Amino acid sequence: MNTREHNYPTHTVTNQVPPMEDYNVFLTNPLLANFVRNHIPRDDSIVDYASWLGRGETFELARLANAYSPVLKSYDRIGNRIDRIDFHPAYHQFMEQSIRAGMANYPTPNGSNSHLRRGALLYLASEVELGHCCPISMTYASVPVLDKCGSEFRDIVEKLREPTYQPDLGSWQTKTSLTCGMAMTEKQGGSDVRANTTHAENTKRGFWYVTGHKWFVSAPMSDIFLTLAQTDEGLSAFLIPRVLPDGTLNRLLVQRLKDKIGNRSNASSEIEFLNAHAYLVGEEVRGVKTIIDMVGHCRLDSMIGSAGQIHFGVAQAIHHTRHRAAFGTQLIEKDLMLNVLSDMALESSAATLLSMRLALADDLALHNPEEAALRRIGVALGKFYVCKREPALIAEALECIGGSGYVEEAPIARMFRESPLNGIWEGSGNVNALDTLRAMEKDDAATNALIDECRPQLGNVETFDAAFNNLLKMLTNGDDIQWRARSMVEYMAKLLQGSVMLEYAPPAIAELYCNSRLSPTYSGSIFGTLDRFDNPKKFIDEFFPEDNIIY
């Protein structure tokens, strides 16, 4: 039989965009790299980690970790309760690499690591795979809570700081490194933790029995958990180990895993404590005050994670428009597309600088009360605003890419599902808006810190000066303040971002940000509405330099 080879022209692939991979996610972000290098010594380990994150194989690991979600195995084959959660090996690779890089490591005073270095690592990891960042964030944030208890939990604190990953079950006494989860939310109350009904009973034998149902617990495979429970005296904080000293499982029953919209690689669950062994953390009745440091650090991490994802979304859109042609030229050459990309790049620049500035404040706060106050109000502002901007920006980036982005093979699709997450976890928008007001009402330090951070930038851009003076007027008006909380907090967040842009970004770009975001006519609802400015293509190329990417 004669055969004939058919060469169909429809099978010739043209005008398609190569994958954005095999690049260094740190070196291709000059704004982030310059900020970090200006404040901490050169650290090649960040570059090495960023190189691993940008590999094509690593993006494939991220896809696999999310395509094959964790699976709960409640019983072994002969009926013993084991509550084991099985993950795709790709998830464990992310955990191992990120913990080894120091992402879970809460800095020691005067140590070589810093909150800024660690914040940069989290930012970079969030661009590629967000799910594994959750248990790492909680592990990092648990250290200051337990450290305040002195020698009582010193061994645990040292193991939480250990940069190795041990996923197998074991007691904290025998393992050399640990991870920590947080169990707060209950069916009848999420942010309102004082509505918790979980109860703790003192055994008078050095530990407590905790009984109750926690409605949303992420990272249930952690070695230890910090939780809140009601004692006879009031709401108190407790540490609950997953495995007891004798190697038996604690009475911590994983009832089911949550079927989440996104964040599929990370296990989230409902857990029932049934006379679970627990250890009091801090003073009885002062549970919220004891655990507030952990919440604060996790909120900053949510903001940093959103900033990283925002940058990735813009980078994906820029990459696509550089390689995709329409109507005779590359998309990036079109004026309207340049307007959209420039507007999104401005948003990303401000989110990046604000998140890193607040990570730096963490380092400086140890010896500087003004920096501690700035961090207090800045995290509430940033968690509110940056996390809210992420879903709108990722949707716009996806629109720049078009239909090829709206399929599961595209990384931007996973990012789109992830985009609302950081705005919800660790306090929604309303919680953080009210937290900002609470910080301002409690004492003047937070408000003064915000004003003092912005004041040195006066005299550079008229719109910034006008916005600053307008804020001073707003602060004197206490009428109906809770009703106005969102608009006021948004205004303060944009002003703070304008301040960090003026301090750390190129002057022309900082002025562009202020003239757009702080203008009385700016709505912020649509990207791509900038006034004409000089050489937008140059700005895009500086934001995400093409010649540093290896295809």
Side-chain angles (χ1 to χ4, degrees):
M1 179 183 295
N2 292 328
T3 60
R4 183 173 60 181
E5 182 178 341
H6 294 278
N7 188 12
Y8 296 108
T10 57
H11 291 177
T12 302
V13 178
T14 61
N15 198 28
Q16 280 290 341
V17 178
M20 195 181 86
E21 57 188 32
D22 294 329
Y23 69 104
N24 190 293
V25 296
F26 183 66
L27 298 180
T28 52
N29 190 336
L31 204 61
L32 174 71
N34 289 339
F35 188 99
V36 171
R37 286 173 166 173
N38 285 337
H39 289 94
I40 62 175
R42 181 183 177 89
D43 189 338
D44 289 334
S45 67
I46 297 177
V47 178
D48 293 341
Y49 177 66
S51 178
W52 177 79
L53 284 171
R55 292 177 189 170
E57 309 94 89
T58 307
F59 282 107
E60 175 62 9
L61 290 176
R63 186 192 71 80
L64 291 170
N66 285 272
Y68 299 95
S69 299
V71 175
L72 171 63
K73 188 172 182 180
S74 299
Y75 298 92
D76 66 12
R77 66 182 180 85
I78 59 173
N80 295 309
R81 181 98 191 210
I82 57 174
D83 287 315
R84 192 182 77 206
I85 300 168
D86 293 331
F87 293 81
H88 190 279
Y91 172 87
H92 292 301
Q93 288 192 53
F94 273 103
M95 288 291 289
E96 182 179 358
Q97 291 284 346
S98 295
I99 289 176
R100 182 191 300 165
M103 209 167 90
N105 196 331
Y106 193 92
T108 55
N110 304 316
S112 59
N113 287 329
S114 69
H115 292 284
L116 176 59
R117 177 190 182 275
R118 185 259 166 196
L121 295 173
L122 177 68
Y123 175 107
L124 297 170
S126 299
E127 295 198 51
V128 181
E129 207 296 296
L130 185 67
H132 81 288
C133 297
C134 177
I136 286 178
S137 175
M138 291 188 292
T139 299
Y140 159 82
S142 67
V143 169
V145 177
L146 298 173
D147 211 21
K148 285 183 178 178
C149 298
S151 60
E152 185 177 358
F153 299 111
R154 185 166 295 159
D155 185 46
I156 290 177
V157 167
E158 290 176 0
K159 292 179 180 182
L160 289 168
R161 280 192 164 115
E162 182 64 32
T164 55
Y165 175 53
Q166 292 182 300
D168 295 337
L169 282 175
S171 71
W172 82 82
Q173 288 94 337
T174 59
K175 295 186 73 172
T176 58
S177 65
L178 302 172
T179 57
C180 182
M182 189 191 320
M184 301 289 186
T185 304
E186 298 191 7
K187 285 177 281 192
Q188 73 287 342
S191 298
D192 184 12
V193 293
R194 295 193 183 278
N196 282 8
T197 59
T198 296
H199 186 262
E201 176 189 352
N202 193 346
T203 66
K204 309 297 185 181
R205 290 180 285 162
F207 65 91
W208 297 61
Y209 282 139
V210 169
T211 299
H213 191 134
K214 296 295 181 176
W215 181 242
F216 209 106
V217 179
S218 283
M221 63 291 177
S222 300
D223 297 299
I224 58 174
F225 298 85
L226 291 181
T227 192
L228 293 174
Q230 302 282 0
T231 69
D232 291 341
E233 303 300 321
L235 194 63
S236 306
F238 292 90
L239 181 149
I240 298 183
R242 194 151 186 253
V243 178
L244 296 175
D246 63 3
T248 60
L249 291 176
N250 201 358
R251 298 289 288 171
L252 186 157
L253 310 179
V254 182
Q255 302 294 66
R256 63 168 172 165
L257 298 186
K258 298 289 192 178
D259 188 10
K260 295 169 294 183
I261 296 170
N263 211 239
R264 306 287 295 189
S265 68
N266 174 38
S268 299
S269 65
E270 292 175 36
I271 281 182
E272 183 177 352
F273 298 133
L274 186 59
N275 280 341
H277 285 229
Y279 302 88
L280 183 68
V281 179
E283 296 179 48
E284 191 177 351
V285 194
R286 300 178 68 82
V288 174
K289 184 175 178 58
T290 298
I291 218 159
I292 198 67
D293 278 346
M294 187 175 190
V295 175
H297 283 293
C298 287
R299 284 181 178 172
L300 176 56
D301 278 5
S302 293
M303 176 189 163
I304 292 172
S306 281
Q309 291 188 292
I310 284 171
H311 179 268
F312 184 77
V314 183
Q316 285 276 326
I318 292 172
H319 172 77
H320 182 88
T321 56
R322 278 176 175 156
H323 291 85
R324 183 78 165 173
F327 309 110
T329 61
Q330 303 304 110
L331 283 170
I332 201 168
E333 302 295 336
K334 311 291 186 184
D335 262 7
L336 189 53
M337 182 60 78
L338 270 176
N339 196 334
V340 173
L341 295 174
S342 299
D343 210 356
M344 292 196 299
L346 272 181
E347 195 72 34
S348 177
S349 299
T352 296
L353 289 177
L354 180 57
S355 62
M356 292 300 105
R357 174 65 183 91
L358 293 173
L360 177 64
D362 244 349
D363 289 320
L364 301 176
L366 188 62
H367 304 293
N368 188 326
E370 288 78 16
E371 289 288 335
L374 175 66
R375 187 200 180 283
R376 170 73 178 87
I377 193 170
V379 168
L381 292 171
K383 171 69 165 69
F384 174 87
Y385 186 68
V386 174
C387 295
K388 282 208 170 301
R389 297 298 281 161
E390 183 189 348
L393 188 139
I394 299 298
E396 192 69 61
L398 205 160
E399 192 172 327
C400 291
I401 296 169
S404 62
Y406 201 68
V407 292
E408 289 298 335
E409 292 171 309
I412 195 74
R414 184 174 71 252
M415 197 70 70
F416 183 68
R417 291 198 310 275
E418 297 279 17
S419 63
L421 175 70
N422 284 319
I424 297 169
W425 283 10
E426 312 309 336
S428 62
N430 280 357
V431 169
N432 282 279
L434 295 173
D435 195 36
T436 302
L437 299 184
R438 194 177 300 111
M440 295 165 63
E441 292 167 357
K442 190 172 181 180
D443 58 53
D444 294 331
T447 306
N448 290 339
L450 175 66
I451 293 171
D452 290 344
E453 179 73 8
C454 295
R455 195 188 301 277
Q457 307 309 324
L458 293 174
N460 291 310
V461 178
E462 287 184 7
T463 49
F464 180 84
D465 295 356
F468 179 85
N469 291 325
N470 191 41
L471 175 64
L472 296 182
K473 294 177 184 176
M474 291 172 64
L475 294 175
T476 63
N477 179 13
D479 296 340
D480 225 7
I481 192 167
Q482 203 173 111
W483 181 266
R484 297 184 294 111
R486 279 187 169 227
S487 59
M488 185 172 177
V489 168
E490 178 187 12
Y491 197 87
M492 294 164 70
K494 289 189 292 186
L495 185 68
L496 184 56
Q497 284 191 330
S499 174
V500 296
M501 287 287 281
L502 286 166
E503 185 169 359
Y504 298 109
I509 300 306
E511 182 176 3
L512 182 63
Y513 177 88
C514 293
N515 287 341
S516 60
R517 271 56 176 176
L518 299 178
S519 166
T521 60
Y522 178 70
S523 68
S525 59
I526 297 175
F527 289 103
T529 57
L530 295 175
D531 291 337
R532 170 70 72 176
F533 69 100
D534 291 337
N535 209 344
K537 184 67 161 50
K538 182 174 182 290
F539 169 43
I540 295 300
D541 290 342
E542 289 177 349
F543 174 86
F544 193 73
E546 186 174 15
D547 56 3
N548 279 359
I549 301 179
I550 304 169
Y551 295 113

